[in-house]
Each structure stands twice: as C-alpha cells, then as structure tokens.
Amino acid sequence: MAYVRNAWYVAAWEQDLQPDKPQGVTILSEPIVIWRADGRLVAFEDRCVHRLAPLSLGRCEGARLRCMYHGLLFDADGAVVQIPGQDMIPPQARLRSYPVELRHSWVWVWMGDPALADPALIPPAVGFDDPDYILGRGFLDYAAEARLINDNLLDFSHLSYVHAESFGAGPEFADERPRLTPLERGVRFERWVVGTHGPGRRKSDALIDSWQSYDFLLPGILLMWSGSFSAGTAERCGFAKPDYADAVGAVTFTSQAVTPTGDTTARYFFSWGPHRAHGDEAMRDMLMTLADRAFTEDKVMIEAQQRVIDRTPAPRIMPTVHDRGVTLFNRLVERLARAETDEAEAA
C-alpha cells in the first residue's frame, strides 16, 4: 500500500516532548528527530552527517543540537556550524529538514515536498487547549500495517463483534449503514441510532436517539463527535446533523491518528473526553479506561490479521457492503500517491 507523502502526519503528543531533549520518531520508515530550538519546533532526519549516529541521542544547546558521538553541532536550519578540531566545514554538511507544526496538541510533520507544506491542510482536531472539552490521551504501537488500522476505523460494523463487551455495541452497527459523503481529502460518516438506551456504561433509562459523526481525513485522521438526544430528534431534524445544544447527554469528542512507522508497523494516537456541559474529569477517566480496553481489542485483532496476511501467498479480500468507506478512502490515497509518483518521475 502506497501512502500520500504530501500530507501532515502526527509525530507525537505535544505533552510528550521534553523542552531540552530531542525526541526520535519514525514516519514512513524515515527516522526523524524533533526538538525545540529556543522554543521553535524543529524536525531533522535523525542521523548525523558524520557517522550516521542518531541525533535523538544528542544534546540541545539553546538554538543548536549537538551530536553526542563526535560532537558535531547543528543549527536550527540543519547546517553544521561546528566540527570539534576542524575549522573547515564542508558545504554539504547539512541535514534534511521537515516542515513541522504544533496544532491541536499534536506535533505534525510534512513528509512530502516542503514547498507544498500548507498548514491549512492540517485536519481540524480538538486539542487540550480547547476549553469546551475535557480530554485524555494515549497511543499504541502496532505490529501491523497502518492501512489495516485505517480500514478498521473506516468500517464501524466491527463494533458489534470486536467491542460487544467493551463499548457494548449492539447489532445496529453491523445491521445499519451510515450515510457517507466523499470529501476532498477524506470521507464523512454520519449515523443515527433511533430508540436506543445508549451504548455500554452510558445507557439511559429512557429511550434516546444517538448521533455519531466522524470525518476520516488524509493521511489517517479520525475526528468524531457524538451525543444523545431525546427520542424523536432524528426524525424532527430529517436525520441530518443535530444541534448539539439540544443534546440530553453523552456529548463527546475523540481524535485518532494513524501514523505509518514502517512497512508493517504503525503508531496509533488517540484522545477522548466529554464536553464540559455533559461531563467532568471522572467521566473522562471512565472513557479513557474504556478506550484502553477497546483499542487493545482492536490491536489484538489487527495484529493477528497482519500475521495471516504475511503468511498468505498473494492475499486477496472479498469486500462487503460495509467496505464502501474503505474503498472510497483507499482509492483517494492511491490516486494521490500515484500522482505524486508521476510528478516525481517527470521531474
């Protein structure tokens, strides 16, 4: 599976960056070091130009980063500015740098043509600086291809089976299909579940209508809002998007990001929490405990799926009706990745 390079990939949670220590990450099999140069966020290739030692084991010195193998010193633009014991610095002594942005509590790295790195293309997530939501966060490392995690998030019919106990999802997630809308850089999913007591531990005594909507955007970002509404709301609003001000409870937001680290490895970032009008820190903690359980269930299944794929000659799938979103997104990725390859070959 090819991946789009001209896109912003999540590299880390802002809270996991230490102010005076570089951090190594891997995106699309490329080792990258992220650090702060006197407050400015910087991303380089994570290999010194001298003997390829990882700069993530280096030392921050104000606006400069020192390799702690033989002491070469780099400025924030990636150029070597000091070689201990050597006055002449070769002009090619420079690192590849990556455009990097801090938005929505995530560190985003652009993996393609730096000239095309438009911050407006960063998906509009909700971060810890948003006063309306009380969020928790985490991440999981997968021994599986990122595409398989994307496919999982693009087809929620698995909730009825993988998460029957954790999320308490009923058969409606497998029996009913969401409304899908193709977007310029993703797919939108919208779903009403009418006349339900609600999922899992958040069950309601009275019947409610549950709303769930999420955008799945390049390169693999899920942004989902959900809420509970009084029975009859879905019909009153024509099964369209409701006004969250009318919710009777359970208004939550989750952001999830899938970052390919290698050919068959990935890192999966997630946050989840309630709107302040419908929950507090205790509810956030309950949701995160639930997320830990449910996302571990996904991990077990997807890593097992990867092992089957690895030992299957020429593996093929048989799509079902629930794969429309998967197909729409993967075709978008394939089209854009192919266009990037064609442009590179033409250049």
Side-chain angles (χ1 to χ4, degrees):
M1 178 70 182
Y3 294 97
V4 175
R5 299 192 67 87
N6 288 324
W8 293 97
Y9 284 83
V10 173
W13 284 107
E14 174 188 11
Q15 295 93 326
D16 292 340
L17 292 182
Q18 299 184 40
D20 57 352
K21 185 177 180 181
Q23 177 170 322
V25 301
T26 303
I27 303 175
L28 295 174
S29 299
E30 296 184 15
I32 298 170
V33 58
I34 299 170
W35 59 289
R36 294 184 186 273
D38 280 347
R40 168 190 167 191
L41 205 59
V42 178
F44 292 155
E45 58 181 317
D46 191 12
R47 53 175 74 88
C48 181
V49 298
H50 175 218
R51 289 203 165 274
L52 308 183
L55 293 169
S56 53
L57 296 179
R59 182 175 68 199
C60 296
E61 298 183 1
R64 295 174 173 179
L65 180 63
R66 188 177 297 277
C67 175
M68 293 305 289
Y69 192 12
H70 296 100
L72 274 71
L73 188 65
F74 298 85
D75 67 15
D77 294 323
V80 175
V81 294
Q82 182 186 91
I83 302 176
Q86 177 176 321
D87 294 332
M88 191 277 291
I89 298 176
Q92 72 271 23
R94 173 179 291 273
L95 296 166
R96 176 188 174 184
S97 62
Y98 296 80
V100 58
E101 295 284 340
L102 182 59
R103 298 278 180 90
H104 321 305
S105 303
W106 270 332
V107 178
W108 303 81
V109 175
W110 182 269
M111 297 300 296
D113 182 350
L116 302 178
D118 182 0
L121 295 178
I122 295 176
V126 171
F128 285 78
D129 55 347
D130 189 308
D132 290 335
Y133 286 90
I134 306 170
L135 299 174
R137 63 182 171 87
F139 69 83
L140 292 170
D141 285 322
Y142 270 74
E145 183 182 356
R147 178 185 60 85
L148 300 180
I149 310 172
N150 290 344
D151 292 352
N152 172 271
L153 297 173
L154 287 157
D155 176 10
F156 273 10
S157 68
H158 76 273
L159 266 67
S160 296
Y161 305 99
V162 178
H163 306 308
E165 297 299 325
S166 56
F167 283 153
E172 58 267 20
F173 279 93
D175 293 339
E176 299 180 14
R177 286 175 280 166
R179 180 171 59 196
L180 272 60
T181 304
L183 305 174
E184 183 178 1
R185 291 177 68 85
V187 184
R188 175 166 295 161
F189 297 74
E190 297 173 304
R191 184 198 307 266
W192 278 103
V193 178
V194 178
T196 176
H197 286 285
R201 301 179 185 179
R202 293 178 288 158
K203 288 188 181 297
S204 167
D205 293 333
L207 289 178
I208 58 171
D209 290 352
S210 293
W211 165 259
Q212 181 188 84
S213 174
Y214 68 95
D215 291 350
F216 198 82
L217 306 172
L218 292 172
I221 311 295
L222 180 146
L223 308 175
M224 184 170 77
W225 289 262
S226 60
S228 298
F229 297 80
S230 60
T233 301
E235 186 174 359
R236 285 195 297 272
C237 66
F239 291 89
K241 178 181 177 180
D243 184 344
Y244 284 106
D246 296 333
V248 296
V251 175
T252 68
F253 172 81
T254 175
S255 59
Q256 299 169 30
V258 183
T259 297
T261 52
D263 290 341
T264 55
T265 59
R267 178 162 285 187
Y268 171 53
F269 300 88
F270 56 89
S271 71
W272 197 14
H275 190 283
R276 288 188 179 276
H278 296 278
D280 53 17
E281 286 77 6
M283 177 175 284
R284 174 203 61 199
D285 294 344
M286 182 273 288
L287 292 175
M288 289 305 296
T289 299
L290 183 59
D292 286 342
R293 179 180 176 186
F295 297 160
T296 299
E297 292 169 343
D298 282 325
K299 185 174 184 288
V300 169
M301 180 62 73
I302 293 170
E303 289 183 338
Q305 179 190 14
Q306 181 71 65
R307 291 193 294 271
V308 171
I309 291 171
D310 289 344
R311 64 175 179 260
T312 303
R316 298 181 62 185
I317 65 166
M318 184 197 73
T320 71
V321 68
H322 293 290
D323 286 307
R324 181 166 175 251
V326 177
T327 301
L328 286 172
F329 185 79
N330 285 341
R331 284 179 178 172
L332 172 64
V333 171
E334 291 165 2
R335 175 171 58 82
L336 294 179
R338 184 167 56 248
E340 291 175 357
T341 300
D342 292 344
E343 290 173 7
E345 290 176 351

